[in-house]
Amino acid sequence: MADPQVPEESVGRTALRLVRPDPGTLRAAAFLVAVVLVPGFIAQAIGGLNASVTVGLCSGAAMSFGTLMRARTAALVTLALGAAAAAGALVAGQPWLSGLAVALAILLTAPANAYSAGMLMMAPILTMVFAVTERGWPWWRAGLWGVIGGLVGLAIALLMRFGQRPPQPVDRALAWRHAIVLAVAAGLSIVAAELLDLDHGYWVTVTLLVVLRPVPGERRDYVRQRLAGTLLGAAVALVVVWLLPANLLLPAAFVFLVVLASYAMSGNYFMQTLFLTPMLLIFLSADGSGEVTVDLTVTRVAFTVVGVILAAGLAWALERWDERSGLVTA
């Protein structure tokens, strides 16, 4: 029996608020994505697709940590992005060194997380991208474009007058514990994928890096939401790939990018993940002609699910470890 004090339509309104981005965020996200795409296109004209991808990843990362510190300090932090990209390019094609480089990049995020959670999560992703996807760049070029991308992101943040936000520090011991566990798991997953020659096996590592948060109270929630969002998003991706003609798939991916950005601004991680999954799957399943193959999409979905399952086990182990050490309470 329904509660007579709660109007039935309020239930629907509450559900709508859970799935609808906050007012104004969709327009702001569309504008922000358009602004970020401009330097990406310029980079592609100068240095090719690799330059565009690097500038896009690094500018997004810099816009995030640029709101946490002074501009000069943030400019120095962009060197870490360049170093991460350079390290990956330097060890490309060498399984054990690739795994080691990714693990070291993760360890470098420990002091960053002690300053503010997730501040440099893009650094190990950059290392992994250049180490395992055979981009064919010398290390200095990867590093240079990484720094350029970071500076572009800081410039956008300054021009758009993004406000400063307070850091969200993680206890130093917890930050290092998280980094060590994640470094071992991600490094070994890279080595296994490379030695076994698993096409797109690095998606297990991508998922571990995105899902396993350094903040203890967020781990289980993020894993659950990531799993549900990934499965639903994968279903959306497969439907879109089947129904849309090839020339409309990449525009559809940009639409997903705008929508997920609006949910990120709204703080809705589940809906953000739901749209992140088809956006990434479509973008990264496209070949040089812009065509997207269903087989590649299915493979990436399978490895993503494996990564979520591993992240769930690691999150559970970390929380038990933290509780027994007295750093957090059950």
PDB file of all heavy atoms in Angstrom, residues 274-286:
ATOM      1  N   LEU A 274      27.450   4.440 -18.050  1.00  0.00           N
ATOM      2  CA  LEU A 274      26.572   3.879 -19.077  1.00  0.00           C
ATOM      3  C   LEU A 274      26.873   4.487 -20.446  1.00  0.00           C
ATOM      4  O   LEU A 274      26.874   3.784 -21.459  1.00  0.00           O
ATOM      5  CB  LEU A 274      25.107   4.122 -18.693  1.00  0.00           C
ATOM      6  CG  LEU A 274      24.033   3.369 -19.491  1.00  0.00           C
ATOM      7  CD1 LEU A 274      22.779   3.191 -18.632  1.00  0.00           C
ATOM      8  CD2 LEU A 274      23.651   4.113 -20.769  1.00  0.00           C
ATOM      9  N   PHE A 275      27.148   5.803 -20.482  1.00  0.00           N
ATOM     10  CA  PHE A 275      27.435   6.450 -21.767  1.00  0.00           C
ATOM     11  C   PHE A 275      28.922   6.405 -22.103  1.00  0.00           C
ATOM     12  O   PHE A 275      29.283   6.491 -23.285  1.00  0.00           O
ATOM     13  CB  PHE A 275      26.923   7.892 -21.762  1.00  0.00           C
ATOM     14  CG  PHE A 275      25.424   7.983 -21.861  1.00  0.00           C
ATOM     15  CD1 PHE A 275      24.644   8.104 -20.724  1.00  0.00           C
ATOM     16  CD2 PHE A 275      24.798   7.903 -23.090  1.00  0.00           C
ATOM     17  CE1 PHE A 275      23.262   8.164 -20.812  1.00  0.00           C
ATOM     18  CE2 PHE A 275      23.419   7.952 -23.192  1.00  0.00           C
ATOM     19  CZ  PHE A 275      22.643   8.085 -22.046  1.00  0.00           C
ATOM     20  N   LEU A 276      29.779   6.278 -21.093  1.00  0.00           N
ATOM     21  CA  LEU A 276      31.209   6.145 -21.361  1.00  0.00           C
ATOM     22  C   LEU A 276      31.505   4.865 -22.134  1.00  0.00           C
ATOM     23  O   LEU A 276      32.311   4.863 -23.069  1.00  0.00           O
ATOM     24  CB  LEU A 276      31.985   6.138 -20.038  1.00  0.00           C
ATOM     25  CG  LEU A 276      33.478   5.800 -20.130  1.00  0.00           C
ATOM     26  CD1 LEU A 276      34.225   6.910 -20.848  1.00  0.00           C
ATOM     27  CD2 LEU A 276      34.056   5.589 -18.734  1.00  0.00           C
ATOM     28  N   THR A 277      30.851   3.783 -21.768  1.00  0.00           N
ATOM     29  CA  THR A 277      31.129   2.484 -22.390  1.00  0.00           C
ATOM     30  C   THR A 277      30.866   2.488 -23.896  1.00  0.00           C
ATOM     31  O   THR A 277      31.763   2.142 -24.671  1.00  0.00           O
ATOM     32  CB  THR A 277      30.326   1.374 -21.695  1.00  0.00           C
ATOM     33  OG1 THR A 277      30.666   1.360 -20.302  1.00  0.00           O
ATOM     34  CG2 THR A 277      30.623   0.016 -22.304  1.00  0.00           C
ATOM     35  N   PRO A 278      29.672   2.877 -24.370  1.00  0.00           N
ATOM     36  CA  PRO A 278      29.483   2.876 -25.830  1.00  0.00           C
ATOM     37  C   PRO A 278      30.367   3.897 -26.542  1.00  0.00           C
ATOM     38  O   PRO A 278      30.807   3.657 -27.667  1.00  0.00           O
ATOM     39  CB  PRO A 278      27.995   3.210 -26.002  1.00  0.00           C
ATOM     40  CG  PRO A 278      27.588   3.853 -24.728  1.00  0.00           C
ATOM     41  CD  PRO A 278      28.429   3.230 -23.664  1.00  0.00           C
ATOM     42  N   MET A 279      30.647   5.046 -25.882  1.00  0.00           N
ATOM     43  CA  MET A 279      31.517   6.032 -26.515  1.00  0.00           C
ATOM     44  C   MET A 279      32.897   5.445 -26.779  1.00  0.00           C
ATOM     45  O   MET A 279      33.418   5.524 -27.897  1.00  0.00           O
ATOM     46  CB  MET A 279      31.629   7.276 -25.619  1.00  0.00           C
ATOM     47  CG  MET A 279      32.399   8.428 -26.248  1.00  0.00           C
ATOM     48  SD  MET A 279      34.194   8.347 -25.973  1.00  0.00           S
ATOM     49  CE  MET A 279      34.296   8.670 -24.215  1.00  0.00           C
ATOM     50  N   LEU A 280      33.501   4.819 -25.757  1.00  0.00           N
ATOM     51  CA  LEU A 280      34.830   4.236 -25.922  1.00  0.00           C
ATOM     52  C   LEU A 280      34.814   3.060 -26.892  1.00  0.00           C
ATOM     53  O   LEU A 280      35.702   2.921 -27.734  1.00  0.00           O
ATOM     54  CB  LEU A 280      35.365   3.779 -24.564  1.00  0.00           C
ATOM     55  CG  LEU A 280      35.867   4.874 -23.622  1.00  0.00           C
ATOM     56  CD1 LEU A 280      36.300   4.257 -22.303  1.00  0.00           C
ATOM     57  CD2 LEU A 280      37.016   5.654 -24.239  1.00  0.00           C
ATOM     58  N   LEU A 281      33.809   2.196 -26.762  1.00  0.00           N
ATOM     59  CA  LEU A 281      33.758   1.018 -27.615  1.00  0.00           C
ATOM     60  C   LEU A 281      33.631   1.397 -29.088  1.00  0.00           C
ATOM     61  O   LEU A 281      34.254   0.783 -29.955  1.00  0.00           O
ATOM     62  CB  LEU A 281      32.596   0.112 -27.198  1.00  0.00           C
ATOM     63  CG  LEU A 281      32.752  -0.588 -25.848  1.00  0.00           C
ATOM     64  CD1 LEU A 281      31.478  -1.337 -25.490  1.00  0.00           C
ATOM     65  CD2 LEU A 281      33.937  -1.534 -25.861  1.00  0.00           C
ATOM     66  N   ILE A 282      32.847   2.422 -29.380  1.00  0.00           N
ATOM     67  CA  ILE A 282      32.673   2.831 -30.778  1.00  0.00           C
ATOM     68  C   ILE A 282      33.929   3.528 -31.288  1.00  0.00           C
ATOM     69  O   ILE A 282      34.426   3.236 -32.379  1.00  0.00           O
ATOM     70  CB  ILE A 282      31.436   3.732 -30.923  1.00  0.00           C
ATOM     71  CG1 ILE A 282      30.159   2.918 -30.657  1.00  0.00           C
ATOM     72  CG2 ILE A 282      31.384   4.348 -32.324  1.00  0.00           C
ATOM     73  CD1 ILE A 282      28.903   3.752 -30.623  1.00  0.00           C
ATOM     74  N   PHE A 283      34.467   4.462 -30.496  1.00  0.00           N
ATOM     75  CA  PHE A 283      35.689   5.166 -30.899  1.00  0.00           C
ATOM     76  C   PHE A 283      36.822   4.186 -31.163  1.00  0.00           C
ATOM     77  O   PHE A 283      37.502   4.247 -32.191  1.00  0.00           O
ATOM     78  CB  PHE A 283      36.125   6.150 -29.818  1.00  0.00           C
ATOM     79  CG  PHE A 283      35.576   7.539 -30.017  1.00  0.00           C
ATOM     80  CD1 PHE A 283      35.019   8.228 -28.956  1.00  0.00           C
ATOM     81  CD2 PHE A 283      35.634   8.166 -31.243  1.00  0.00           C
ATOM     82  CE1 PHE A 283      34.512   9.502 -29.126  1.00  0.00           C
ATOM     83  CE2 PHE A 283      35.131   9.441 -31.425  1.00  0.00           C
ATOM     84  CZ  PHE A 283      34.567  10.114 -30.357  1.00  0.00           C
ATOM     85  N   LEU A 284      37.050   3.270 -30.229  1.00  0.00           N
ATOM     86  CA  LEU A 284      38.220   2.404 -30.316  1.00  0.00           C
ATOM     87  C   LEU A 284      37.980   1.144 -31.134  1.00  0.00           C
ATOM     88  O   LEU A 284      38.905   0.359 -31.338  1.00  0.00           O
ATOM     89  CB  LEU A 284      38.689   2.036 -28.900  1.00  0.00           C
ATOM     90  CG  LEU A 284      39.143   3.238 -28.069  1.00  0.00           C
ATOM     91  CD1 LEU A 284      39.590   2.802 -26.686  1.00  0.00           C
ATOM     92  CD2 LEU A 284      40.275   3.991 -28.767  1.00  0.00           C
ATOM     93  N   SER A 285      36.758   0.942 -31.610  1.00  0.00           N
ATOM     94  CA  SER A 285      36.497  -0.148 -32.547  1.00  0.00           C
ATOM     95  C   SER A 285      36.493   0.343 -33.985  1.00  0.00           C
ATOM     96  O   SER A 285      36.231  -0.418 -34.905  1.00  0.00           O
ATOM     97  CB  SER A 285      35.143  -0.812 -32.233  1.00  0.00           C
ATOM     98  OG  SER A 285      35.180  -1.493 -31.002  1.00  0.00           O
ATOM     99  N   ALA A 286      36.781   1.632 -34.168  1.00  0.00           N
ATOM    100  CA  ALA A 286      36.801   2.196 -35.520  1.00  0.00           C
ATOM    101  C   ALA A 286      38.180   2.008 -36.135  1.00  0.00           C
ATOM    102  O   ALA A 286      39.192   2.198 -35.472  1.00  0.00           O
ATOM    103  CB  ALA A 286      36.441   3.680 -35.465  1.00  0.00           C
TER     104      ALA A 286
END
